[in-house]
Amino acid sequence: MAEIRTTLYSKELQKQIFPDNDFYKKSVAETGVADTTETVEKPVQTPIGKAKEGKPKSLPLEIEVSTDTKKTYNTTLIYCQPLLIDSQSELLTNYSKRQTKQEQQAGEMNNKIAAYAAYHWSPTKSTNILKTTGDARKSNILGLTSDRKALTKDDLLTLHNLMMRMNVSGIGGKWYGMVTPDQYSDLLKVPEFVDYYKTGNSTKLLTGAVGIILGIEIFVRTTDEGHSGILYKANGTPLQGDSEIKDELLTGGLFWNDKMVCRAEGMVRTVVNENAPGYLGGTIIESFTRFGADIIRDDQKGVIALSEDKG
């Protein structure tokens, strides 16, 4: 007689793990971008003559023509491959498979959007790209074999000095930073930077921020490889966050004023095709949107990268 074996279908599904992508919401937003919108145009003021004092040498005064410029950045299509949920698998699971797969597609798209924002916010001007100067330590980033210089208090003070010299505080906004887990561990070794742990104030943790250092709200983000999504070639050229990790690359943190970077978000569209012909009653779901991101100013004020230098 055959032995009867029963199967218990649990309602608890172990979901896919995604990086913390809250950081890109800290920016100037253009929402409701249509599916057909390929570019976003932002007006930008140009400098005018400096104010003068004292009696003019002659009248009438020379007239200065006021002209403003514009900054244009592109949006791109972000999507997931259509996903088939066959009718039999829906019957044999004890959770809402369609709903969980839609959530999974949304998570994948959000991760791609965050990587896109990180790349397009990475500065290219050499003055805005700083490097760490601490003692050499091992890196936990997969693909990096050489030691990297730790992030130090002096590095943060140098960064803060550059922030002040950018003179963007007058327009309002807040400064944010996104660092790697290795860099965050470096910060925990600086006594002056861990006081927020002693206060018991967990308010910032609810927004994804893990602390405030020198007025900068700090986020930690890590990809599967262990970096934050900020990658640079040795010559200062930024790379997409999903690029292959090689030892000659530099990774690290990104710091920005939320009034100096922008994003354009379209409506996420999900198409559900139930009982799709040819798929034995299965359901096909697909999701897509448009997204864009950029540094607002051509001089890249308000954005700083802090890469881990080789040890």
Side-chain angles (χ1 to χ4, degrees):
M1 181 177 178
E3 182 179 356
I4 299 176
R5 298 178 180 270
T6 59
T7 301
L8 171 67
Y9 294 102
S10 173
K11 294 182 180 180
E12 297 300 322
L13 173 67
Q14 179 58 45
K15 296 185 178 181
Q16 185 176 351
I17 297 174
F18 292 105
D20 186 348
N21 296 315
D22 291 336
F23 76 91
Y24 77 84
K25 298 293 186 179
K26 308 301 182 182
S27 58
V28 177
E30 303 285 350
T31 57
V33 175
D35 296 332
T36 56
T37 301
E38 294 186 352
T39 59
V40 177
E41 183 177 293
K42 296 188 73 66
V44 179
Q45 283 186 331
T46 55
I48 63 173
K50 294 184 181 298
K52 298 175 175 59
E53 67 171 299
K55 183 178 179 180
K57 293 182 178 180
S58 62
L59 294 173
L61 297 175
E62 182 180 352
I63 295 176
E64 179 180 0
V65 179
S66 173
T67 57
D68 288 334
T69 61
K70 61 184 179 182
K71 180 70 181 291
T72 302
Y73 64 98
N74 297 327
T75 66
T76 189
L77 180 65
I78 305 289
Y79 65 96
C80 284
Q81 292 290 116
L83 190 63
L84 172 66
I85 303 173
D86 68 85
S87 57
Q88 294 304 303
S89 68
E90 282 197 277
L91 291 173
L92 295 174
T93 55
N94 202 19
Y95 59 89
S96 176
K97 189 166 185 179
R98 183 189 305 181
Q99 178 182 345
T100 60
K101 287 302 177 183
Q102 287 182 235
E103 292 173 353
Q104 191 175 5
Q105 282 190 335
E108 289 285 357
M109 290 172 56
N110 191 42
N111 197 40
K112 185 64 177 179
I113 285 170
Y116 184 93
Y119 170 66
H120 286 272
W121 290 356
S122 296
T124 56
K125 291 185 176 295
S126 59
T127 53
N128 293 29
I129 304 173
L130 306 178
K131 293 182 180 179
T132 56
T133 61
D135 295 335
R137 54 152 169 77
K138 295 292 184 182
S139 174
N140 289 305
I141 297 171
L142 300 178
L144 300 185
T145 57
S146 60
D147 290 349
R148 304 290 156 141
K149 293 182 179 179
L151 177 58
T152 68
K153 176 182 176 181
D154 285 343
D155 294 333
L156 263 294
L157 293 176
T158 299
L159 175 96
H160 190 256
N161 180 271
L162 178 56
M163 286 167 45
M164 292 188 294
R165 288 187 283 115
M166 286 181 169
N167 202 29
V168 301
S169 59
I171 63 168
K174 297 179 62 175
W175 279 91
Y176 295 90
M178 179 179 66
V179 298
T180 69
D182 285 348
Q183 288 182 319
Y184 186 64
S185 295
D186 293 336
L187 292 175
L188 293 181
K189 296 176 183 178
V190 181
E192 297 92 332
F193 291 162
V194 295
D195 285 343
Y196 63 87
Y197 271 137
K198 304 173 185 177
T199 65
N201 183 1
S202 61
T203 304
K204 296 302 177 184
L205 300 179
L206 302 179
T207 66
V210 294
I212 301 178
I213 297 174
L214 298 175
I216 309 167
E217 286 195 23
I218 303 295
F219 289 78
V220 177
R221 183 176 188 268
T222 179
T223 62
D224 289 341
E225 294 80 13
H227 61 80
S228 65
I230 305 299
L231 291 175
Y232 278 91
K233 292 182 178 179
N235 63 2
T237 302
L239 295 175
Q240 295 274 5
D242 54 3
S243 300
E244 180 183 358
I245 306 300
K246 300 179 180 179
D247 191 59
E248 59 265 24
L249 299 182
L250 301 180
T251 182
L254 182 71
F255 296 79
W256 70 95
N257 183 290
D258 63 353
K259 298 297 185 183
M260 296 285 96
V261 292
C262 56
R263 71 185 193 277
E265 292 185 280
M267 297 294 294
V268 177
R269 293 186 58 191
T270 299
V271 178
V272 180
N273 185 3
E274 295 182 329
N275 298 313
Y279 294 96
L280 300 176
T283 299
I284 297 176
I285 58 174
E286 54 184 327
S287 299
F288 56 93
T289 189
R290 293 197 72 87
F291 183 82
D294 201 7
I295 300 172
I296 291 180
R297 296 177 61 95
D298 288 331
D299 58 16
Q300 298 187 351
K301 286 187 176 182
V303 186
I304 306 168
L306 180 56
S307 296
E308 296 179 6
D309 202 3
K310 285 192 174 184

